Amino acid sequence: MVYEDLVTTLGAVFRPQLPPERLRGVVEAAEEAGLEQLWVWEDCFLEGGIATASAALAWTERLKVGIGLLPVPLRNVALATMETATLHRMFPDRALIGLGHGVQDWMGQVGARAESPVTLLREYAVAMRSLLAGERVTTEGRYVKLQDVALDWPPQSVPPLYAGATGPRSIRLCGEIADGTILTAATTPEILAKARQLIDEGRAAAGKSDPHEIVVYLLTATGEGAAERIAADNEGAKAGVAGNAEDVAAAVLRLAEAGADTVVLQPTADEPDPEGFVRFAANGVKPLI
């Protein structure tokens, strides 16, 4: 069965549980197969999001590469904006940047935990958007402090800025401050419908009427042992899907009907064939949606 007008975009994740030297093979497989997006993560203490994204972009000509997410307590906003602008100048319209609170235990381990993650994310996104727009910024917030800062090389057009969250206050904030929201693989269609309502509340509070993209990760496994691998995942087991391309396409359809604009297939941490996984996404699932 082919589902018409299901989602505009299908992507996949390169999980940082794989060593960095595996990235190029997965990236090249995704590009060759015609996958639309490949997402990388900046999880502590595995791989850096900017480093992996820039390498993936340099090895490809068409593939869009998302970072979901950059933990804002780890990165000064001026540095993150410089790196984002550099990616967009070198690889126009192909880098997708997501911001998030970071896992609080990890932030505590490195001495970067914020007392109010919501305040930090708000201040950070507002400053970053202004800098990306080429503005000169002075601000004295609770966390973000800039004095007469402007980029010498802002992007030639202001790129979309994504944010990701799980709690209701933060999801509402995503609607207020970002152009798109990234939701985890624990997101069932029911949770997604509630999140969409919170996002819309945030957009309304900010007086926004422009489109807001919702990106949802979908824990996915196929082939031998797929069901067992999904069941072993603590975060995504309840929302994940194990099976063939038809089974995965049906799960994508359910998320799309609940409000997802982009679905990103997330392999299990022990996926035995990451190159085959991105080919499965592009050649098996995508034609069905």
Side-chain angles (χ1 to χ4, degrees), residues 219-233:
L219 185 69
T220 304
T222 190
E224 185 176 355
E228 291 77 12
R229 285 187 280 123
I230 291 290
D233 188 286

Side-chain angles (χ1 to χ4, degrees), residues 15-118:
R15 292 188 64 144
Q17 285 81 10
L18 291 168
E21 57 269 24
R22 292 292 303 274
L23 177 64
R24 184 163 192 163
V26 176
V27 166
E28 291 177 346
E31 174 92 342
E32 182 181 350
L35 189 69
E36 294 164 280
Q37 294 182 1
L38 186 75
W39 287 74
V40 298
W41 295 350
E42 186 161 274
D43 279 2
C44 297
F45 299 95
L46 297 165
E47 292 157 9
I50 296 293
T52 50
S54 15
L57 289 162
W59 291 327
T60 56
E61 297 292 335
R62 175 203 51 79
L63 185 70
K64 290 192 176 185
V65 178
I67 305 175
L69 304 158
L70 291 177
V72 299
L74 278 178
R75 292 178 170 273
N76 181 279
V77 67
L79 175 61
T81 310
M82 289 162 56
E83 292 185 316
T84 296
T86 300
L87 289 180
H88 279 281
R89 298 275 306 208
M90 293 192 298
F91 311 105
D93 301 320
R94 291 208 291 133
L96 309 171
I97 306 298
L99 306 177
H101 298 312
V103 176
Q104 294 308 294
D105 287 346
W106 290 341
M107 299 303 100
Q109 280 182 269
V110 298
R113 186 167 185 165
E115 184 178 355
S116 176
V118 171

